[in-house]
Amino acid sequence: MSNNPKVNMSIQATKKVNGLADPTKPFSSFMKYNKNDLDMKMKFIKAPAMNTFLKAKVFSMVKDNMMETYKKCPWGWNGKDKRAELFHKDSRYILVQHSSNNSIAAFVHFRFDIENLIEVLYLYEIQIDKDVRGKGLGRYLMSLLETIAFHYKMKRIVLTVLKSEEDVVKFYFSLQYEIESYSPEDAFYYILSKKKKTLELVKN
């Protein structure tokens, strides 16, 4: 433990929410999306509870959507490192499935963590299949994530986005995410954050 009482409180807050079996439980009525010709249901799962099939699906979605982008930036693409990040014991997921056949159309990968000495919800991935994009699902998932984060009194939602992904950067800016004070100016990425909920989660 730290000598700083505030940091200790942050650590305790993060431990508490990490210990929950399902942090989405208070929002079960919002774990669906029925809009713009989409009929989706959502479920929460912790990475250690994922079976081999599910892990393969998640990894392939990230690889299909992101590998070429990663290759063009200084991070490069390393499948082994990506798997370690995706399936870390603290990784949490909201899986979005087609109600008709249970196939996965999107997912959110996040963790409750300590960042810059405060408790945060860190968004690692939001991946959406190409055929369901442009239908408001990403925005809805972000509003769900914000609601969860601030319900559990996380101080911020934090994420890292590549500067080369201009449409993605615009998307987060449109949701009122801001460049963090400790985001390195000369880097090829931004660290973005949001201190309070602005997106309203509404029944659909």
Side-chain angles (χ1 to χ4, degrees):
M1 284 295 233
S2 160
N3 293 324
N4 184 326
K6 276 190 174 178
V7 175
N8 285 342
M9 283 176 71
S10 295
I11 291 168
Q12 290 302 328
T14 308
K15 269 188 176 175
K16 188 178 177 183
V17 70
N18 266 325
L20 295 171
D22 180 1
T24 69
K25 202 170 182 182
F27 313 103
S28 56
S29 61
F30 295 100
M31 296 285 279
K32 58 184 185 295
Y33 188 76
N34 305 108
K35 262 187 187 172
N36 302 327
D37 303 323
L38 295 182
D39 181 10
M40 303 292 192
K41 60 183 181 178
M42 301 174 197
K43 71 173 184 181
F44 172 82
I45 191 167
K46 296 181 179 182
M50 286 181 158
N51 60 28
T52 308
F53 172 81
L54 201 47
K55 284 182 176 179
K57 175 62 183 171
V58 163
F59 182 76
S60 72
M61 269 183 87
V62 174
K63 190 176 178 182
D64 291 348
N65 289 345
M66 299 302 299
M67 183 169 72
E68 292 309 315
T69 305
Y70 272 80
K71 280 181 177 176
K72 290 172 191 164
C73 82
W75 282 334
W77 172 261
N78 184 312
K80 189 180 175 186
D81 287 353
K82 198 63 186 170
R83 279 181 197 277
E85 178 186 283
L86 287 167
F87 308 121
H88 185 278
K89 66 179 177 60
D90 292 333
S91 292
R92 305 289 183 258
Y93 284 82
I94 294 170
L95 303 176
V96 184
Q97 299 168 290
H98 288 283
S99 296
S100 57
N101 60 10
N102 292 336
S103 64
I104 293 168
F107 70 81
V108 182
H109 165 212
F110 63 98
R111 295 186 203 171
F112 297 104
D113 214 340
I114 303 289
E115 178 82 4
N116 217 32
L117 306 181
I118 58 168
E119 61 272 33
V120 304
L121 185 153
Y122 207 111
L123 172 61
Y124 278 79
E125 305 273 352
I126 179 166
Q127 295 294 342
I128 299 174
D129 271 346
K130 290 180 175 66
D131 57 349
V132 297
R133 288 179 196 165
K135 294 175 182 281
L137 181 59
R139 193 179 179 87
Y140 184 81
L141 288 169
M142 291 304 296
S143 68
L144 178 59
L145 214 57
E146 286 185 16
T147 303
I148 291 166
F150 297 115
H151 173 81
Y152 292 111
K153 298 182 170 57
M154 298 292 108
K155 298 286 195 295
R156 285 179 180 50
I157 292 189
V158 182
L159 59 97
T160 303
V161 62
L162 294 169
K163 290 178 180 178
S164 62
E165 294 271 87
E166 290 177 12
D167 288 346
V168 182
V169 173
K170 277 182 196 167
F171 170 71
Y172 288 122
F173 283 168
S174 78
L175 303 183
Q176 297 177 35
Y177 282 74
E178 298 175 344
I179 300 169
E180 256 294 355
S181 57
Y182 56 87
S183 182
E185 277 185 32
D186 54 354
F188 56 93
Y189 59 86
Y190 292 121
I191 298 170
L192 303 182
S193 75
K194 192 168 180 178
K195 298 182 182 73
K196 64 181 192 301
K197 184 162 79 78
T198 58
L199 288 175
E200 286 304 313
L201 192 60
V202 291
K203 282 194 166 65
N204 56 83

